[in-house]
Amino acid sequence: MEANDPREPKYNFSELEPKWRQRWAKQELYRTRDDSGKPKFYCLDMFPYPSGSGLHVGHWRGYVISDVIARYKLLTGHEVLHPMGWDAFGLPAENDAIKKGLHPRANTQSNIDNIRRQLQEIGTVYDWSREISTVDPDYYRWTQWIFVQFFKRGLAYQKEMPINWCPSCKTGLANEEAVGGVCDRCGSAVEPKSMKQWMLKITAYAEKLLQGLETLDWPEKVKTMQRNWIGKSEGASVTFTAANAETGAQVPVTVFTTRPDTLFGATYLVLAPEHELVAQLTVAGQRAAVEAYAAQAKRQKDIERIAEGREKTGVFTGSYAENPVNGEQLPIWVADYVLAGYGTGAIMAVPAHDHRDFAFAVKFHLPIRCIINPQIDTAEPADISGGEPVTAAELKDAGKRAQLADAIRAGQLCWAGDGELINSGCEKRGLSISGLAVPEAKKKITDWLAARGQGAAQVQYKMRDWIFARQRYWGEPIPIIHCPTCGAVPVPEDQLPVRLPEVEKYQPTGTGASPLAAIREWVEVPCPVCGGQAERETDTMPQWAGSSWYFLRYASPRCATHLVDPAAAQRWLPVDLYIGGIEHAILHLLYARFFNRFLHDLGAVGFAEPFTRLFNQGMVTRYSEKFDEVRKMSKSEGNVVSPDELVAKYGTDALRLYELFIGPPEEDSEWNDAGIVGVHKMLRRLFEYVLRHQGDTATGSQTQRALHKLVRQATEKMADFRLNTLVANFMECANTVVCGDGSGEESCAPADLEKLIVVLAPFAPHWAEELWSRLGHADTVFRAAWPAFDPALTVDAELEVAVQVLGKVRGTIRLPKGADPAAMRAAAEAEPNVAKYLAGRTIVKAVCVPDRIVNFIVR
């Protein structure tokens, strides 16, 4: 028999799935047309690092989600751009090559070829004609061009600074890559190291990045994570006046505080050990102690220095600073709980109202002055510290609250809550904020400081500038030439790209110098400005460089004159739906938004935000024998499930459906192979059902209702990603229209069979194409139209109604939807079990709620 012979109803997925993938590729079925005139839909996956041996079922899940949505949009009349490429530069790819003993270029290409094969086996609707790779010189030419534009506008600069150094990866890391004091790639503890680094001034875009979040259809969790990382703080700069320990000259000490209203409660200042004023403000008798303390502090990680509950340490400089609001002389301390990179590196300490300051003041016997009358009646346990922990139960006791309030006012406990200002005035200086609420007090004291040139309202951000250099081989060369006469000058744009030289030895040196520094014939070049002898920059860009703008390149991947062709950008951008993991919430997404906003300001793109809607898929987890717990799939933990065996046994389409069925797509789900059997069985039963009924001329009423209900469910659930429950709806529909071995099932006309096929097509594309072809269609099912549904047919014709006697359910009845109360009562009285409870009793009242319940009141 021929493959399409309708007399052969068997579901032979091992033959039909490869057949349809070959046809799709030959026909270039999913090649995106720029000039189709259809409304556009740009669906994008976060492209993968080709740094492993292949995809497991956890990887599959995200790609299946995006493919389902892309195929659905094809069926709803959109021209879909759904591209794929490779984030192939950087630490992940280089470390993988080192592990295998291969060159990064060869190893990366091998990984790409394998993952591309796996993605094609998923049956994804990618337009492979637009495939890009960040290691392609035609691509990274434009990555370098963007860096040159940053440099020309003062947003790329070099600076000697302490950085996060990973001793395993042997490179510097951005703060975002070392959260918690560990390298986000290898997990090694990072070390502080002072190096001259290339930086991108992302802080210049802090407010734009913050405000832009309000325009985005993103999960609130991701937006909150970005807001917290940007860390906007509104407050005031305050200038205290100290004296140089050697010369006696006045030295301004500026602090930033979000609580200028608490200035009257400040009893000491603290400088970070790295602060530039430490040397000037340390008296001779304290110099040895301060220097020893600073040296010790600099060897510690920031995360350790600010750890919650860590015992406070510090040393007195011997100097004092004048408080501008009252003239009080405050001792200046050096302590490691203050970091040089945050704020000004100096703080005013208000121990009565800050937990860390309180602990420090208690240890070193410094004054504690209460200047906020505690609102103890509304206190939370976290508002109070310094003694035995306070419980919520204790705060409900009026007597205990009164004791706590007295202790706070006496400076015996720390109060971090709200309240009116007390003890806050200086008659001599004509300033008092006592009796004011916090907002009014902040404004009054800030205005007073500003009028005297000793402070000003100020906004600061926690986010630091981006360390944009790596001391590694496998990355985009930074297009800068260092000239002894002209300084750092950019490579002329017509000389881009600066190609990464071919080398045999590429392993990191561990000295802080890139392996490129040893290739003198590549390093030594004439200066583009003066023609004199100069040298190339030998650090390379971080792995995030190419991935921070790749979404733009897909619109016109072969354009030689612009990083994105203006007409193509107008047609396709921004991205309508971006799909990827929550682990990229800060790093990649923040960097991509920064690049795009810079390019928008440059006039290179016409939109400020790159990703209109974001969807984060959950991880697929599995039990790890190594850790004896359920964890994220990882080859090193021995809990990876390869899709290959499952595809061979059940087929690609069954695995696609099961990937979605295991749980809500936005949540983590634990993998268990057992459920795939039911999904495969459903596809087989529906396949055989369609072929049995392709000659029918009419559709049975029950089947018609089931199909219209399914179309409605699919239409509604695709909009908000309720894909797991939609797969359950497919199964429910299959059970309705297919009765066991086919005996007793209703007929189904061709138009209704087509509804079934089209609705399942995004989920099981090979299955759908085969059936569509067998129904006589020459063209692909994905050029069909998404079916409509009749709302009247989506409502159940009959409903199950509970019957109660004196409020207790005694039975159920089935009634036509909308049955009147008389019919409901009659059917309820006739129900045998209900009749048993009514026997011998008088019905006082029958309460009938249409379509819901009957309740008999009896005596």
Side-chain angles (χ1 to χ4, degrees):
M1 289 184 179
E2 294 295 323
N4 283 356
D5 191 331
R7 293 172 294 168
E8 175 54 71
K10 298 299 182 183
Y11 176 42
N12 192 345
F13 63 84
S14 60
E15 290 185 7
L16 71 86
E17 289 181 346
K19 175 184 73 175
W20 284 107
R21 287 197 291 271
Q22 290 169 11
R23 290 191 187 182
W24 295 335
K26 184 177 180 180
Q27 298 168 2
E28 294 187 324
L29 179 61
Y30 303 125
R31 187 162 189 149
T32 305
R33 272 67 180 176
D34 291 311
D35 57 356
S36 70
K38 297 179 181 179
K40 70 99 173 179
F41 185 77
Y42 185 178
C43 179
L44 183 62
D45 297 280
M46 294 182 184
F47 66 170
Y49 308 127
S51 56
S53 55
L55 303 178
H56 55 64
V57 294
H59 297 126
W60 259 57
R61 195 182 194 202
Y63 300 125
V64 171
I65 291 169
S66 69
D67 193 64
V68 166
I69 299 300
R71 289 178 181 275
Y72 169 69
K73 288 295 182 177
L74 286 173
L75 291 164
T76 56
H78 292 77
E79 187 69 32
V80 174
L81 173 57
H82 190 39
M84 177 50 67
W86 315 101
D87 190 7
F89 263 144
L91 290 179
E94 187 174 324
N95 287 345
D96 186 58
I98 291 172
K99 183 179 179 181
K100 296 176 181 175
L102 300 171
H103 192 281
R105 191 175 302 281
N107 183 61
T108 299
Q109 189 57 53
S110 175
N111 288 341
I112 286 173
D113 292 342
N114 184 48
I115 297 174
R116 187 194 301 109
R117 173 192 60 79
Q118 289 185 301
L119 289 173
Q120 289 169 343
E121 287 181 358
I122 297 174
T124 49
V125 64
Y126 295 127
D127 179 355
W128 289 105
S129 72
R130 296 180 184 243
E131 180 181 7
I132 61 174
S133 173
T134 57
V135 303
D136 180 354
D138 289 338
Y139 179 87
Y140 70 73
R141 164 197 176 188
W142 294 105
T143 309
Q144 293 174 337
W145 179 88
I146 295 170
F147 183 90
V148 168
Q149 309 316 307
F150 276 125
F151 180 81
K152 287 180 176 179
R153 287 153 184 82
L155 296 176
Y157 64 96
Q158 275 189 300
K159 180 181 179 181
E160 182 82 25
M161 61 176 295
I163 65 164
N164 306 298
W165 176 262
C166 176
S168 176
C169 295
K170 296 181 172 60
T171 190
L173 303 174
N175 289 338
E176 296 90 333
E177 297 170 298
V179 175
V182 297
C183 173
D184 77 329
R185 291 307 314 167
C186 71
S188 298
V190 299
E191 302 170 353
K193 187 171 185 174
S194 184
M195 292 181 65
K196 194 172 186 179
Q197 288 286 303
W198 279 101
M199 313 286 292
L200 288 187
K201 199 171 185 180
I202 192 173
T203 53
Y205 278 76
E207 188 63 28
K208 289 183 177 180
L209 291 170
L210 196 61
Q211 295 302 318
L213 292 170
E214 305 306 316
T215 69
L216 300 176
D217 183 9
W218 284 22
E220 194 56 40
K221 179 181 180 180
V222 175
K223 293 199 281 189
T224 297
M225 291 170 74
Q226 291 216 357
R227 289 189 191 102
N228 291 343
W229 186 262
I230 295 168
K232 182 177 181 178
S233 297
E234 297 185 63
S237 63
V238 182
T239 301
F240 293 75
T241 305
N244 186 293
E246 292 186 1
T247 68
Q250 284 198 334
V251 177
V253 182
T254 301
V255 306
F256 171 80
T257 176
T258 60
R259 295 295 303 272
D261 55 298
T262 63
L263 262 166
F264 285 99
T267 60
Y268 63 99
L269 298 188
V270 182
L271 303 181
E274 304 87 351
H275 198 288
E276 60 185 6
L277 292 181
V278 169
Q280 296 182 46
L281 299 178
T282 301
V283 301
Q286 289 292 100
R287 189 169 301 280
V290 169
E291 289 177 352
Y293 180 82
Q296 179 185 16
K298 290 174 184 177
R299 290 194 293 269
Q300 296 175 321
K301 303 178 183 67
D302 287 358
I303 194 70
E304 295 172 349
R305 288 168 53 173
I306 62 174
E308 189 75 25
R310 178 175 177 266
E311 184 179 359
K312 298 296 180 285
T313 62
V315 61
F316 179 41
T317 65
S319 292
Y320 294 80
E322 182 181 294
N323 188 332
V325 298
N326 57 13
E328 185 176 354
Q329 295 295 307
L330 307 182
I332 303 174
W333 286 69
V334 174
D336 62 6
Y337 76 92
V338 177
L339 303 179
Y342 294 92
T344 66
I347 67 164
M348 63 176 211
V350 184
H353 306 294
D354 180 274
H355 298 309
R356 296 187 310 165
D357 296 345
F358 183 88
F360 190 92
V362 168
K363 179 172 182 177
F364 293 102
H365 309 291
L366 295 166
I368 300 170
R369 184 182 305 130
C370 177
I371 48 90
I372 297 176
N373 195 26
Q375 289 183 354
I376 200 72
D377 289 346
T378 59
E380 298 288 339
D383 293 333
I384 304 169
S385 67
E388 291 296 321
V390 177
T391 67
E394 288 177 309
L395 289 174
K396 292 179 181 178
D397 181 83
K400 181 64 174 179
R401 290 201 304 271
Q403 292 175 11
L404 291 170
D406 289 342
I408 290 167
R409 294 187 192 99
Q412 297 166 357
L413 293 176
C414 175
W415 170 254
D418 212 346
E420 288 186 351
L421 276 295
I422 58 175
N423 305 322
S424 296
C426 178
E427 184 177 349
K428 183 178 179 180
R429 302 201 175 191
L431 174 65
S432 176
I433 55 172
S434 291
L436 296 181
V438 170
E440 292 79 13
K442 283 183 178 181
K443 185 177 187 314
K444 182 172 180 179
I445 205 164
T446 301
D447 291 345
W448 187 91
L449 290 165
R452 287 156 181 77
Q454 293 178 290
Q458 192 176 81
V459 174
Q460 287 205 355
Y461 301 90
K462 186 178 74 173
M463 181 172 65
R464 303 293 91 191
D465 281 347
W466 179 6
I467 299 174
F468 200 74
R470 299 293 180 268
Q471 295 71 46
R472 300 290 291 251
Y473 166 72
W474 193 239
E476 300 91 339
I478 293 175
I480 295 293
I481 293 173
H482 298 280
C483 173
T485 303
C486 306
V489 297
V491 173
E493 293 177 19
D494 61 2
Q495 294 180 24
L496 299 177
V498 176
R499 291 175 177 265
L500 186 67
E502 292 296 332
V503 298
E504 291 185 10
K505 186 178 180 180
Y506 64 87
Q507 286 78 3
T509 63
T511 65
S514 164
L516 294 177
I519 310 173
R520 301 312 300 172
E521 64 273 19
W522 181 82
V523 172
E524 295 174 358
V525 293
C527 171
V529 177
C530 70
Q533 186 61 40
E535 293 190 352
R536 292 191 188 280
E537 172 61 55
T538 58
D539 281 359
T540 53
M541 298 187 200
Q543 67 200 64
W544 309 106
S547 65
S548 292
W549 72 278
Y550 79 108
F551 48 89
L552 302 174
R553 192 63 179 168
Y554 284 129
S556 54
R558 311 296 168 241
C559 181
T561 57
H562 298 80
L563 91 162
V564 57
D565 177 81
Q570 181 70 27
R571 167 65 169 149
W572 291 111
L573 295 163
V575 176
D576 296 290
L577 176 63
Y578 198 31
I579 297 179
I582 190 71
E583 65 270 19
H584 296 297
I586 295 174
L587 293 167
H588 164 60
L589 289 172
L590 190 66
Y591 294 157
R593 295 181 60 225
F594 168 47
F595 264 55
N596 197 88
R597 283 192 167 267
F598 170 71
L599 292 170
H600 175 255
D601 290 349
L602 202 64
V605 297
F607 49 94
E609 289 289 342
F611 313 120
T612 304
R613 185 180 184 189
L614 174 71
F615 182 82
N616 295 124
Q617 85 270 10
M619 291 188 299
V620 177
T621 61
R622 191 168 185 253
Y623 175 75
S624 167
E625 292 185 2
K626 180 177 179 181
F627 291 95
D628 191 26
E629 64 181 10
V630 174
R631 295 171 69 101
K632 176 183 177 180
M633 282 195 181
S634 168
K635 188 175 181 180
S636 65
E637 296 182 11
N639 65 340
V640 166
V641 176
S642 169
D644 297 344
E645 289 185 13
L646 295 171
V647 168
K649 190 171 183 180
Y650 300 106
T652 294
D653 286 344
L655 182 54
R656 285 170 60 102
L657 279 159
Y658 187 61
E659 290 271 4
L660 303 175
F661 184 59
I662 58 176
E666 71 278 9
E667 296 179 10
D668 295 351
S669 299
E670 186 175 353
W671 185 264
N672 186 329
D673 295 351
I676 196 173
V677 176
V679 176
H680 170 75
K681 184 177 180 181
M682 176 197 73
L683 287 176
R684 178 181 58 78
R685 294 173 71 201
L686 287 176
F687 187 90
E688 295 169 358
Y689 174 85
V690 170
L691 296 184
R692 280 198 302 272
H693 292 276
Q694 60 183 313
D696 292 353
T697 58
T699 303
S701 61
Q702 183 179 353
T703 298
Q704 188 177 57
R705 286 184 176 277
L707 292 175
H708 278 261
K709 186 176 182 179
L710 181 65
V711 174
R712 179 172 188 163
Q713 290 166 332
T715 303
E716 293 173 349
K717 293 184 177 184
M718 290 291 264
D720 53 7
F721 290 88
R722 287 180 290 160
L723 304 181
N724 61 312
T725 61
L726 184 50
V727 176
N729 295 143
F730 293 155
M731 294 180 174
E732 180 185 8
C733 181
N735 289 333
T736 300
V737 302
V738 183
C739 301
D741 60 357
S743 59
E745 62 194 19
E746 295 181 332
S747 61
C748 192
D752 287 318
L753 290 175
E754 290 175 358
K755 280 187 175 68
L756 176 65
I757 293 169
V758 172
V759 168
L760 264 80
F763 296 80
H766 312 84
W767 175 96
E769 286 280 35
E770 180 70 13
L771 289 175
W772 194 252
S773 173
R774 293 206 187 195
L775 289 186
H777 295 282
D779 202 359
T780 172
V781 66
F782 293 101
R783 294 203 178 105
W786 186 256
F789 60 88
D790 182 347
L793 294 176
T794 65
V795 179
D796 291 333
E798 283 190 341
L799 296 171
E800 190 170 84
V801 175
V803 182
Q804 296 179 339
V805 178
L806 293 176
K808 292 185 178 181
V809 176
R810 299 302 185 183
T812 60
I813 54 176
R814 292 198 65 83
L815 293 167
K817 183 174 175 60
D820 61 43
M824 293 177 70
R825 174 171 178 167
E829 289 184 29
E831 202 281 328
N833 200 54
V834 173
K836 182 174 66 174
Y837 283 93
L838 294 178
R841 299 189 179 190
T842 301
I843 298 175
V844 177
K845 186 178 182 180
V847 179
C848 299
V849 181
D851 298 337
R852 293 184 61 189
I853 197 169
V854 177
N855 184 27
F856 290 107
I857 310 298
V858 298
R859 67 167 183 265

